[in-house]
Amino acid sequence: MTYRWIDSSIELAEYVDRLLLEERYALDTEFHRERTYFPKLALLQIKGAGEVVLVDPLACDLSPLRRLFDSDCVAVLHAAQQDLDVLTHAVGAVPRHLFDTQLAAGFVGYSTPSLVSLLQSELRVTAAKGDRLTDWLRRPLSADQRDYAASDVDHLLELQDTLNAKLAAEGRTSWAADACEELRTRPVSGTEPEQAWTRLKDVRVLKPRARGVARAVAAWRERRAMSIDSPVRQVLPDLAILGIAQKQPSTVAELAHCRGVDDRHTRGTIAKEILAAVEAGKSSEANLPAAEGEELDRSLRPAVTLVSAWVSEVARQRRIDTALLATRNDLVAFLRGDADARLATGWRGEFLGEGIRRLVAGQAALTFDGRGGLSLIDVAAPAPRHAAGNGNGDGALTVGATD
């Protein structure tokens, strides 16, 4: 296929000037993060202004892209979450207007489709196959690498047109736009060091005071990893954080005896910083976030499972990706009465909110329809007072709220 290689800052700035005259452009990135904390942008692919270009970020100043991202031009990407993370760190900005073809497809019958499957299904285009483990930081890139990279954006604009037509036919254009904006504004990696400890495996076995130490040491590790742009595991392994949290050392000698700690952690500044984190962590206990559903009133916990079944059925019947309609966290937030619960407002609220309220109040029930599906039906009177759903003999399942 035809594309242009850009490795000149002046040439990139000139191309951005041309894109600013367009309504939209397709965008994709190639990156690595195996040896760094932040993703390392290795290649930028753009289609717009009548051509496909491959931008070498190792040779170009990417600052002109900020003008493009801040413009009214719509960036069309597929599965943009990681791309947005990469662009945040490489460019310092993300597009102000975003259309994600994977998200949009979720509103017209697909469930998190790959670009390959979506192109085949919607456009009858067989995408080029590439090496999943290719080294995009290598220079020069081979012709096959460049062809594969260019193909990732070659059909995105056409795919957007096809999906937009289907969204309009279903009356779901605004729904997709809302989902894309939620994705665009989602926090990127490296923003919450104080929460890093909650991702530690086996942290639940620690006592509250030891968790306080684990929280402090994990936060130190996260900040250290960010400052030197290194994977966290190379700064201090998880096993070492758990060992330190259990032993709570106050001297270098005690630190050296903690499981998972090696010589590089017991020398100079690193040792002093780890011990300072331990001391700071001793002063405050840490409680783990409640397990999913535990923060609900006990009488409502069975409702999560029941409502999940109904949401899945609604998603199937209405051809919407269940993950876009409502996650379990969304259900918990709604049942808990959170003011910012996604199911309380907008299209999700209109779609699901009233039905969930009726189910939880015992004013509605789920019944098997005899064709492998579920139906929401009214009940004649409030369900009996109980905390768990029950079978009532006619195939219906209900949840009653306590007085």
Side-chain angles (χ1 to χ4, degrees):
M1 65 177 298
T2 303
Y3 53 82
R4 180 159 59 104
W5 179 266
I6 292 181
D7 56 6
S8 160
S9 300
I10 294 176
E11 197 174 353
L12 175 59
E14 291 173 346
Y15 182 58
V16 167
D17 288 338
R18 291 175 54 204
L19 288 175
L20 288 170
L21 302 176
E22 303 290 320
E23 293 184 354
R24 60 180 182 166
Y25 58 94
L27 179 66
D28 190 31
T29 67
E30 305 296 345
F31 61 93
H32 294 292
R33 67 186 315 163
E34 294 84 2
R35 296 185 293 273
T36 59
Y37 181 87
F38 298 108
K40 178 71 173 177
L41 180 60
L43 190 66
L44 192 69
Q45 306 103 283
I46 307 175
K47 182 174 184 178
E51 65 176 331
V52 174
V53 304
L54 304 181
V55 180
D56 184 359
L58 306 184
C60 291
D61 173 13
L62 299 180
S63 59
L65 291 173
R66 295 183 187 180
R67 292 189 289 122
L68 177 63
F69 291 170
D70 194 44
S71 72
D72 290 331
C73 298
V74 177
V76 181
L77 298 91
H78 181 84
Q81 177 67 70
Q82 293 189 82
D83 298 302
L84 296 178
D85 196 356
V86 173
L87 294 170
T88 296
H89 298 296
V91 181
V94 297
R96 192 158 59 92
H97 301 284
L98 170 71
F99 184 95
D100 188 313
T101 54
Q102 186 180 72
L103 278 182
F107 289 100
V108 293
Y110 292 91
S111 179
T112 320
S114 68
L115 180 58
V116 171
S117 65
L118 201 53
L119 289 175
Q120 181 62 46
S121 298
E122 293 297 322
L123 303 180
R124 297 297 183 264
V125 169
T126 301
K129 294 184 178 180
D131 181 1
R132 186 172 58 87
L133 300 178
T134 193
D135 183 359
W136 292 106
L137 291 169
R138 184 185 66 186
R139 293 295 183 271
L141 293 177
S142 68
D144 286 344
Q145 285 177 307
R146 294 188 183 195
D147 287 343
Y148 173 72
S151 70
D152 279 346
V153 294
D154 194 32
H155 299 285
L156 279 181
L157 300 182
E158 185 181 357
L159 182 59
Q160 182 197 22
D161 290 337
T162 300
L163 293 173
N164 267 336
K166 290 191 172 185
L167 289 168
E170 296 285 349
R172 297 173 180 177
T173 300
S174 63
W175 299 2
D178 288 347
C180 287
E181 182 62 10
E182 289 173 359
L183 173 63
R184 192 188 71 85
T185 56
R186 189 174 299 167
V188 298
S189 65
T191 57
E192 298 181 0
E194 297 301 327
Q195 297 301 314
W197 72 285
T198 62
R199 299 190 295 270
L200 294 171
K201 184 179 179 181
D202 296 329
V203 72
R204 289 184 176 274
V205 304
L206 298 177
K207 295 180 179 179
R209 188 183 182 194
R211 290 175 192 163
V213 173
R215 177 174 60 188
V217 176
W220 167 82
R221 180 181 72 168
E222 203 79 9
R223 296 189 184 95
R224 172 74 180 175
M226 284 190 278
S227 69
I228 63 175
D229 197 17
S230 173
V232 292
R233 65 183 180 277
Q234 293 185 11
V235 173
L236 190 67
D238 287 1
L239 180 61
I241 295 181
L242 295 174
I244 291 169
Q246 289 179 327
K247 296 292 186 181
Q248 301 173 25
S250 57
T251 67
V252 173
E254 291 174 349
L255 177 63
H257 283 88
C258 294
R259 189 176 181 186
V261 172
D262 58 39
D263 290 345
R264 62 197 169 101
H265 305 128
T266 60
R267 296 194 297 263
T269 302
I270 297 299
K272 292 179 181 178
E273 291 180 356
I274 292 175
L275 291 174
V278 172
E279 194 60 32
K282 289 179 181 178
S283 62
S284 61
E285 296 183 352
N287 294 314
L288 283 166
E292 198 170 78
E294 285 185 1
E295 62 270 45
L296 283 174
D297 183 274
R298 284 187 178 275
S299 65
L300 288 177
R301 291 180 192 175
V304 175
T305 300
L306 182 70
V307 174
S308 292
W310 181 57
V311 169
S312 296
E313 180 65 13
V314 171
R316 184 185 68 83
Q317 292 180 358
R318 302 298 292 271
R319 300 179 68 248
I320 298 178
D321 188 349
T322 306
L324 294 176
L325 193 54
T327 65
R328 286 185 67 86
N329 284 339
D330 289 332
L331 298 179
V332 169
F334 182 79
L335 293 172
R336 193 171 53 212
D338 292 1
D340 59 349
R342 295 201 303 173
L343 295 177
T345 60
W347 66 270
R348 291 184 179 89
E350 296 174 6
F351 218 56
L352 297 172
E354 182 58 27
I356 295 175
R357 291 187 183 96
R358 289 168 56 211
L359 269 173
V360 173
Q363 298 168 355
L366 287 179
T367 184
F368 297 106
D369 62 11
R371 299 183 300 275
L374 298 172
S375 295
L376 188 69
I377 61 172
D378 292 328
V379 295
R385 180 174 176 175
H386 51 67
N390 67 307
N392 60 12
D394 61 0
L397 301 175
T398 61
V399 165
T402 56
D403 295 332

